[in-house]
Amino acid sequence: MSVWPAWEVREHESVTRWFSVRIDFADGARVEVLAVTAGEGVCIEDVRAQPPLSLDDLTALADWIEEPLVEACGGDAAAQAGGAAAGPLSGRARRAWPSGVEGRRLVAEEYRAAQQDGADPVLAVMGATGHSRRRSLRLIAGARDEGFLTPRHVRR
């Protein structure tokens, strides 16, 4: 197994770091993971596997990468998360987020709060939902369609 830093973003006093993790198995199987460490913990953002992982293997993935990822962070992940790095890693990668109208309303609240704070609203939605950038943009578009956010472009 190998872990290496992919990139890092510093905003004011917070740091978000992405790490690439690669697991090569003796039978030739391979898993590549993009993990993100932020102030609230560690999330798995992307997984690629050859052959594809079963649901049981996907659930166990967090356990496979937890220790090497924390070592690669120099223990920073646990310190940043207030010791909670094991929590997000040992279970599901993303938090439960309500679906439907309630979820779109919460997305709109996160988006507007980030705008008021002068932060990137898309990153705020990504952090709140645990979803990728593409999925977060879809959620934001859904909130706009539902009328919780103003339209992106004024129609003439």
Side-chain angles (χ1 to χ4, degrees), residues 83-145:
L89 276 177
S90 60
R92 292 177 48 185
R94 82 174 49 114
R95 292 178 258 197
W97 191 259
S99 60
V101 175
E102 179 64 19
R104 290 187 287 274
R105 186 185 61 75
L106 292 173
V107 164
E109 288 176 7
E110 287 290 333
Y111 188 94
R112 283 193 301 272
Q115 278 183 323
Q116 289 173 350
D117 293 342
D120 184 342
V122 177
L123 285 178
V125 171
M126 288 171 62
T129 62
H131 288 295
S132 69
R133 183 172 188 83
R134 178 177 286 168
R135 178 70 177 133
S136 295
L137 288 170
R138 285 186 187 144
L139 291 171
I140 292 167
R144 286 187 198 289
D145 292 345

Side-chain angles (χ1 to χ4, degrees), residues 1 6 16 31 38 50 62 69 77 89-90 134:
M1 181 179 309
T16 303
V31 178
Q50 190 62 29
L69 186 58
L89 276 177
S90 60
R134 178 177 286 168

